[in-house]
Amino acid sequence: MTETTAPMMQEQLGKAENRVWKKFRSHRSALLGGILVSFFVLIAVLAPILPIPDPATTSWSAVRKAPSMAHWMGTDEIGRDVMARLIWGAQASLLAGVVSVGIAMCLGVPLGILAGYFGGWTDAIISRCTEALLAAPFLILAIALAAFLGPSLTNAMIAIGISATPIFIRLTRGQVLNVRSEDYVDSARAIGLPTPKILRRYILPNVLPPILVQATLTIATAIIAEASLSFLGLGQQAPAPSWGSMLNTAKNFLNQAPWMAMWPGISIFLVVLGFNLLGDGLRDALDPREH
Amino acid sequence: MLLFLTRRILIALPTIILISIFVFALQKLLPGDPLLVLAGEERDPAVLELLREKYRLNDPIVVQYFTWVSNALQGDLGISLRTNQPVTELMLQKLPVTLQLAAMSMIFALVIGVPAGILSAYKKGSLTDYIANVVALSGLSIPNFWLGIMLILLVSVKWQLLPASGYVPLSEDFLQSIRTMLMPSFVLGTALAATMMRHTRSAMLGVLSADYVRTARAKGLTERRVVLKHAFRNALTPIVTLTALLFGELVAGAVLTEQIFTIPGFGKMVVDAVFNRDYAVVQGIVLVTAVGFIFMNLVADALYFILNPRLRGQ
């Protein structure tokens, strides 16, 4: 890149970023999604310093108490504060969402780039494996993997991460196929840049936007998957709180303590809705056809 | 058509082979000896050796794989460690239950999702469109097991309108069977309806601005006829193929729905198998659902071929 073209490109890049941000800001539902996600991230991060009771402290004098001034969201079957468990449970849910999507991206993006850029046998092998993994329904695969790995939050995150990997391989591969024949990639090859550098500097940055959109939407799916696994007893283990395991216990006390089931469900719904709105908004903002 | 399908089957074959390797590897990667579950408390080395011989676990891994595959091809997916019944027999017993749940859920999904999608596309940008989109996104964001719990609380516990759990076979008492399945299939159907609505909307948006729709309007046809006959019929292809492709979501959704409503189907069987460490059953279900999904993909391709006259002409 020459010295005169560099500032021009910087300026154009700045303009594009500005346009995307403006578009995103004007997307009211995406902003609502951002607010919802930020709220849950904030309470999850601040959980240790918030003035709430210990989520594991039981109280036999406060078993299944309805919401009151002392316990805003009521108490559970062994007298633990539901709100405290909900706030600490947000940590497990968000962590599971982000870590499992992180695993899926770390595995899926490089494999997708390899398949798309090199084509031939590399592509054939990676693509067939991707199709095989995609054939097993996402939750069934996650349940099977979690079962074989053993029940724990870490294993649930690994299971969800592996199950979500093929989505990223396929998406990245498709994007790379679009980008690899672009003039700037041809030029990079023509001036003799080594392949790893071409992949890192020219391919990856150009395929990243749709992958980020997909990542946001997959976090929503991963949070539901973690809640489902914990609900089935394959995720977060007692006494550590998680929204899914709270619902699992709550279903046994529906008649006596319906609030136990209400709050975790509403929380899952709101955070998942937040990520879905955010993902939809990002997709619209980053879609060049919309400009 | 035959050539098209043969090509698709040939493409699907390597995928099926890979799935079988993956499912087989699942058990082999398992830490510990699965025979310890079978041998029970005693764990006598002689008994273990005998079992190892019986299940041919001393054979090289490649031989074990080929034995497993050839048995699977003949419908033998092994023996359930818990019930001692053949896995295939167990699955066949549970299949009608899940099929009924799946069929009723699909009816809910189609009845809610398709009209909502048509209306939303026809009134694009209006309040109706906005509400339909919000409802669809909410449908995708609600965990269906929570929706199930809330419905049990309201419909069964508070209002006592429908049974909260259980299953009555269709052949035993038709009406009671439908009543028992109504709530679970609604729960499973709503999530699918949301997907269906979004796809119908986007397919309809594509055709509503097409020239032949404008011509139909110019001819003076009623809006109802324009939308339903000229536009919807052309938007039908992606909707029909999507219906076939929703199979995966249907099976995965059934796992949790059957668990909540204590329905003795495929989904409940996989969860029970997981907790009983009945790996042959887990393997069998993963294999069968994956192959089922590929089969549904083929059905989707075939439907696409049949419904799309341009493809047939080639």
Side-chain angles (χ1 to χ4, degrees):
Chain A
M1 198 184 296
T2 63
E3 276 175 24
T4 43
T5 50
M8 265 173 65
M9 276 190 76
Q10 283 290 338
E11 198 185 324
Q12 274 180 347
L13 214 66
K15 271 185 189 166
E17 272 172 19
N18 231 343
R19 200 171 49 206
V20 169
W21 171 237
K22 255 189 192 166
K23 194 145 179 29
F24 181 74
R25 241 182 11 194
S26 65
H27 209 293
R28 255 184 272 167
S29 51
L31 269 186
L32 174 68
I35 292 168
L36 280 173
V37 170
S38 310
F39 170 73
F40 281 101
V41 170
L42 210 65
I43 61 162
V45 172
L46 297 178
I49 56 163
L50 285 176
I52 46 169
D54 184 83
T57 304
T58 57
S59 164
W60 297 111
S61 58
V63 170
R64 294 199 305 267
K65 291 278 183 227
S68 64
M69 283 310 283
H71 301 283
W72 288 5
M73 292 181 180
T75 61
D76 67 6
E77 81 288 2
I78 46 175
R80 293 174 298 195
D81 187 76
V82 171
M83 192 172 80
R85 292 185 69 71
L86 207 67
I87 291 174
W88 282 92
Q91 274 192 353
S93 283
L94 290 172
L95 195 72
V98 173
V99 172
S100 47
V101 170
I103 294 172
M105 280 176 78
C106 285
L107 294 172
V109 174
L111 285 171
I113 290 180
L114 288 180
Y117 189 77
F118 292 107
W121 276 103
T122 319
D123 182 26
I125 293 169
I126 295 174
S127 294
R128 291 297 90 74
C129 289
T130 309
E131 279 159 23
L133 276 171
L134 274 173
F138 182 79
L139 193 63
I140 298 263
L141 190 61
I143 288 175
L145 285 170
F148 282 94
L149 292 169
S152 78
L153 183 63
T154 315
N155 287 346
M157 290 193 282
I158 297 172
I160 298 167
I162 295 174
S163 308
T165 301
I167 303 170
F168 287 94
I169 300 179
R170 202 159 68 162
L171 176 69
T172 312
R173 178 186 171 272
Q175 292 300 318
V176 173
L177 284 178
N178 286 337
V179 169
R180 76 167 179 188
S181 49
E182 291 284 342
D183 288 344
Y184 56 84
V185 179
D186 282 341
S187 314
R189 263 195 297 259
I191 58 168
L193 280 185
T195 309
K197 200 165 184 177
I198 297 175
L199 294 181
R200 210 176 44 243
R201 271 184 68 176
Y202 295 94
I203 302 280
L204 185 66
N206 285 296
V207 300
L208 218 50
I211 295 170
L212 289 179
V213 173
Q214 185 61 49
T216 317
L217 294 169
T218 312
I219 290 179
T221 318
I223 289 175
I224 291 203
E226 186 277 329
S228 309
L229 289 180
S230 293
F231 178 76
L232 295 171
L234 290 168
Q236 180 81 294
Q237 298 297 298
S242 112
W243 295 341
S245 53
M246 284 170 80
L247 277 173
N248 189 19
T249 317
K251 77 172 193 297
N252 303 320
F253 301 97
L254 275 186
N255 222 352
Q256 306 94 325
W259 55 88
M260 277 173 65
M262 218 165 68
W263 302 115
I266 292 175
S267 305
I268 301 171
F269 168 63
L270 287 178
V271 79
V272 170
L273 183 69
F275 276 108
N276 276 333
L277 288 171
L278 200 63
D280 275 2
L282 272 177
R283 182 168 44 206
D284 290 350
L286 290 168
D287 189 349
R289 281 168 305 181
E290 300 261 333
H291 298 309
Chain B
M1 170 82 179
L2 203 66
L3 192 75
F4 174 79
L5 273 182
T6 317
R7 268 191 63 192
R8 298 297 303 155
I9 291 169
L10 283 177
I11 293 172
L13 268 178
T15 314
I16 294 176
I17 293 169
L18 276 168
I19 291 168
S20 69
I21 294 174
F22 173 71
V23 172
F24 179 76
L26 262 183
Q27 195 184 2
K28 294 297 151 195
L29 293 173
L30 191 71
D33 192 341
L35 280 185
L36 293 180
V37 184
L38 205 66
E41 293 289 307
E42 292 174 18
R43 293 183 183 177
D44 182 352
V47 176
L48 279 177
E49 192 49 41
L50 212 67
L51 285 170
R52 212 164 264 136
E53 277 299 317
K54 184 183 167 193
Y55 291 101
R56 301 182 65 179
L57 292 176
N58 288 331
D59 288 351
I61 196 122
V62 181
V63 177
Q64 283 187 45
Y65 169 73
F66 279 108
T67 315
W68 180 74
V69 167
S70 73
N71 286 341
L73 283 174
Q74 292 167 52
D76 175 8
L77 289 167
I79 303 281
S80 157
L81 290 179
R82 187 160 169 261
T83 59
N84 231 0
Q85 265 178 293
V87 174
T88 318
E89 195 182 300
L90 274 172
M91 281 205 239
L92 287 175
Q93 279 171 9
K94 310 284 181 189
L95 197 62
V97 184
T98 304
L99 278 183
Q100 188 187 342
L101 175 66
M104 284 179 67
S105 307
M106 204 41 112
I107 293 173
F108 269 115
L110 289 169
V111 167
I112 301 170
V114 174
I118 296 176
L119 202 67
S120 173
Y122 184 65
K123 300 204 164 187
K124 190 188 171 212
S126 70
L127 187 68
T128 318
D129 181 28
Y130 185 73
I131 293 172
N133 274 309
V134 170
V135 173
L137 201 61
S138 305
L140 287 175
S141 306
I142 288 182
N144 67 359
F145 55 97
W146 181 65
L147 183 64
I149 292 174
M150 288 293 112
L151 279 180
I152 290 178
L153 183 67
L154 278 178
V155 181
S156 304
V157 179
K158 287 250 187 307
W159 302 332
Q160 301 192 337
L161 288 174
L162 290 169
S165 60
Y167 170 71
V168 179
L170 274 170
S171 53
E172 207 173 279
D173 184 343
F174 184 82
L175 272 181
Q176 190 57 23
S177 175
I178 300 287
R179 256 171 62 85
T180 326
M181 265 318 185
L182 217 51
M183 219 161 33
S185 40
F186 176 76
V187 168
L188 189 49
T190 44
L192 302 180
T195 315
M196 197 73 94
M197 179 262 160
R198 288 184 130 198
H199 277 82
T200 308
R201 180 178 182 274
S202 100
M204 281 297 284
L205 281 179
V207 291
L208 276 173
S209 54
D211 287 345
Y212 53 81
V213 170
R214 203 171 43 208
T215 313
R217 280 203 176 107
K219 278 198 304 188
L221 294 182
T222 58
E223 274 303 289
R224 195 188 162 89
R225 213 171 150 81
V226 170
V227 173
L228 293 181
K229 196 169 173 216
H230 292 260
F232 181 59
R233 197 174 266 189
N234 283 291
L236 205 60
T237 322
I239 299 167
V240 172
T241 45
L242 174 77
T243 309
L245 292 175
L246 279 177
F247 171 80
E249 271 188 54
L250 211 58
V251 176
V255 174
L256 290 157
T257 314
E258 288 180 4
Q259 196 65 20
I260 294 158
F261 292 95
T262 356
I263 301 166
F266 235 62
K268 191 161 185 334
M269 181 166 75
V270 73
V271 177
D272 291 344
V274 162
F275 283 105
N276 294 320
R277 295 180 168 268
D278 204 344
Y279 296 117
V281 176
V282 180
Q283 272 183 319
I285 290 177
V286 176
L287 185 71
V288 168
T289 47
V291 174
F293 185 74
I294 291 174
F295 174 73
M296 291 311 281
N297 261 297
L298 284 172
V299 172
D301 280 346
L303 284 174
Y304 196 75
F305 190 88
I306 294 165
L307 289 170
N308 196 336
R310 273 169 295 188
L311 212 61
R312 256 181 293 160
Q314 279 171 16

